[in-house]
Amino acid sequence: MSTINLEAALGGESFADLFNETIKNQDMKSGEVISAEVVRIDHNFVVVNAGLKSEALIPLEEFLNDQGDLEVEEGDFVSVAIDSLENGYGDTILSRDRAKRLSAWLQLEQALESGELVNGTITGKVKGGLTVMTNAIRAFLPGSLVDLRPVKDTTPYEGKTLEFKVIKLDRKRNNVVLSRRAVLEASMGEEREKLLETLHEGAIVKGVVKNITDYGAFIDLGGIDGLLHITDMAWRRVRHPSEVLQVGQDVEAKVLKFDQEKSRVSLGVKQLGEDPWIGLARRYPQGTRLFGKVTNLTDYGAFVEVEDGIEGLVHVSEMDWTNKNVDPRKVVTLGEEVEVMVLEIDEDRRRISLGMKQCRANPWEEFSINFKRGDKVHGAIKSITDFGVFVGLPGGIDGLVHLSDLSWAETGE
């Protein structure tokens, strides 16, 4: 057959054109990433032209981003991978997903070699750590590499997008291992140097609660940990640091002491505000009556908070006019609002003495007004002792009839 007849049989295409096309296709390999132009966007497919004999159809979902939105338009040039040079019908099968994965693996390999950081989103928990999606590749974040210190509860990290360092990569096994701790250690040195330049006594700093103990809390200031002692958390009495702080909480504090050689920082939160004890005696002169909340109960009395940071003691002897040894728990309850009177304030020792009985009428004064010496009174016998009989009188007063006064005729013994 002649060349002319062959060209006619092939629809006008020259043998040279077909040969060159064949050679071109043979140069391409399955898995290779090439550039293609978006020609048309149909309902279910994106049609691309990669310079091959025919246009290729790629499923539309391969061009959707994580939010489900289409990320290409007609005329855009995109990277696609060759899945198959020949599917049996003369078509070349292209894949956008495969190209993105190949590109992602290449970026991860480059990051591993150069030490460049990668972004990723923590998606969930697995045995021994967390899963991270980085550029559509599922990676593993060991629990020991989540933070600078061991993390017991990783729940707060889930869903967060952070920077990671690639520390291990095996494409054949589809294995990527990341580290967040390496990123923090690298940045900690820079932050530490910057912090040391500005850190001084009296400075206001911000940090995050890293650990809570019985005596205080350690605050991460960014490369340096500061101690916030329990006595410097609030002007009021704090029984345990967990009452006012929790791990991971953002805190603003004042630097009280700073030892640069030992890198020790003492912090205070209550010092950010004014000392409520200053001028307290002027605000509450002796005899002032006010309401407060019972914050603590002891065998010797009750502590009452009269304003934020100011607690005073109501001694057991100042609770009741007639019973000086009453159990405080039988008079008031924790959290109860009570009326008290200021008896004495010592600003230097930060002590305020309060009284509850002074806010009620004194039954002894009323009794002395209503009854004179020699008056006859009636009352129920409340108790009998070896030395006499106690009789209940008006106002809750107990009167003693000594055994020598029980009878003229008998001794009472």
Side-chain angles (χ1 to χ4, degrees):
M1 182 182 292
S2 66
T3 304
I4 297 176
N5 293 334
L6 180 61
E7 289 180 357
L10 295 174
E13 289 185 292
S14 68
F15 181 83
D17 291 337
L18 290 176
F19 180 79
N20 291 332
E21 186 69 25
T22 302
I23 295 299
K24 181 179 179 182
N25 287 339
Q26 286 179 346
D27 289 341
M28 295 183 180
K29 298 178 182 179
S30 178
E32 184 177 346
V33 177
I34 60 176
S35 180
E37 181 182 4
V38 177
V39 177
R40 188 171 65 257
I41 299 175
D42 293 337
H43 183 65
N44 295 320
F45 295 94
V46 173
V47 182
V48 299
N49 180 9
L52 304 176
K53 184 176 180 181
S54 61
E55 296 174 341
L57 279 67
I58 302 177
L60 184 71
E61 55 266 22
E62 296 190 19
F63 292 87
L64 303 180
N65 57 25
D66 294 337
Q67 289 73 39
D69 299 325
L70 188 65
E71 58 182 2
V72 295
E73 297 178 353
E74 292 183 7
D76 288 349
F77 284 87
V78 295
S79 295
V80 292
I82 301 175
D83 264 356
S84 175
L85 287 169
E86 174 61 55
N87 67 346
Y89 297 95
D91 297 326
T92 301
I93 307 302
L94 303 179
S95 171
R96 171 65 173 163
D97 279 347
R98 190 174 181 183
K100 288 194 291 186
R101 286 185 62 84
L102 289 171
S103 175
W105 278 107
L106 182 60
Q107 290 176 10
L108 289 174
E109 290 174 350
Q110 292 174 346
L112 178 64
E113 294 176 2
S114 65
E116 184 181 351
L117 303 182
V118 298
N119 289 320
T121 302
I122 299 175
T123 54
K125 295 180 182 178
V126 291
K127 184 178 180 181
L130 299 167
T131 56
V132 180
M133 290 302 294
T134 173
N135 205 4
I137 301 294
R138 188 171 183 263
F140 175 61
L141 174 63
S144 59
L145 302 180
V146 173
D147 208 329
L148 293 171
R149 294 184 178 182
V151 178
K152 293 182 179 180
D153 182 15
T154 58
T155 303
Y157 293 88
E158 293 183 35
K160 287 189 175 182
T161 299
L162 304 169
E163 285 187 323
F164 301 92
K165 184 176 182 180
V166 182
I167 60 174
K168 187 177 180 181
L169 188 67
D170 189 337
R171 191 193 294 195
K172 291 182 179 180
R173 296 184 178 182
N174 201 33
N175 183 25
V176 182
V177 181
L178 305 176
S179 173
R180 173 63 182 165
R181 189 175 72 182
V183 178
L184 297 175
E185 288 175 343
S187 62
M188 186 174 67
E190 298 177 3
E191 292 179 1
R192 182 186 179 91
E193 293 301 322
K194 291 180 180 179
L195 184 62
L196 289 174
E197 293 177 0
T198 59
L199 206 58
H200 59 85
E201 293 184 9
I204 307 300
V205 294
K206 293 182 179 180
V208 180
V209 179
K210 292 189 66 175
N211 189 28
I212 292 178
T213 67
D214 292 336
Y215 56 86
F218 287 95
I219 312 299
D220 181 8
L221 302 176
I224 296 179
D225 288 351
L227 174 61
L228 175 58
H229 197 269
I230 187 172
T231 57
D232 292 311
M233 291 183 177
W235 291 108
R236 64 178 178 84
R237 184 192 306 269
V238 178
R239 297 183 186 87
H240 195 273
S242 58
E243 293 180 6
V244 293
L245 295 174
Q246 59 183 3
V247 175
Q249 180 179 341
D250 293 331
V251 175
E252 186 177 52
K254 187 174 185 178
V255 178
L256 305 182
K257 293 181 180 179
F258 175 45
D259 188 334
Q260 190 165 1
E261 293 183 359
K262 297 181 179 179
S263 294
R264 292 182 180 177
V265 184
S266 297
L267 303 174
V269 170
K270 71 179 186 181
Q271 287 81 1
L272 293 174
E274 294 183 2
D275 186 350
W277 284 92
I278 298 177
L280 189 67
R282 293 197 304 271
R283 297 200 301 273
Y284 303 116
Q286 186 176 0
T288 301
R289 293 171 61 168
L290 64 161
F291 287 89
K293 183 174 70 174
V294 179
T295 57
N296 192 24
L297 291 171
T298 67
D299 294 335
Y300 54 86
F303 286 91
V304 179
E305 186 179 50
V306 294
E307 68 172 53
D308 190 24
I310 300 294
E311 287 182 341
L313 173 65
V314 180
H315 193 267
V316 63
S317 62
E318 305 296 345
M319 288 187 163
D320 191 87
W321 285 108
T322 58
N323 189 351
K324 293 188 177 182
N325 294 316
V326 65
D327 183 355
R329 296 169 182 82
K330 293 183 178 180
V331 181
V332 294
T333 57
L334 201 62
E336 180 183 353
E337 187 176 44
V338 295
E339 187 178 18
V340 294
M341 178 180 287
V342 176
L343 304 181
E344 184 182 0
I345 292 179
D346 188 337
E347 291 185 6
D348 295 332
R349 299 174 65 190
R350 296 179 180 271
R351 292 182 179 180
I352 176 171
S353 299
L354 304 172
M356 289 176 57
K357 69 182 184 181
Q358 289 81 359
C359 296
R360 300 187 293 269
N362 188 342
W364 292 100
E365 293 180 356
E366 292 184 353
F367 189 85
S368 63
I369 295 174
N370 296 327
F371 299 96
K372 303 298 181 183
R373 185 174 181 177
D375 290 350
K376 292 183 178 182
V377 294
H378 296 272
I381 296 176
K382 299 190 69 175
S383 63
I384 299 176
T385 68
D386 293 338
F387 54 85
V389 176
F390 283 95
V391 179
L393 300 175
I397 294 175
D398 289 349
L400 172 64
V401 180
H402 195 267
L403 58 85
S404 61
D405 294 317
L406 290 174
S407 173
W408 290 105
E410 299 179 12
T411 60
E413 297 181 356

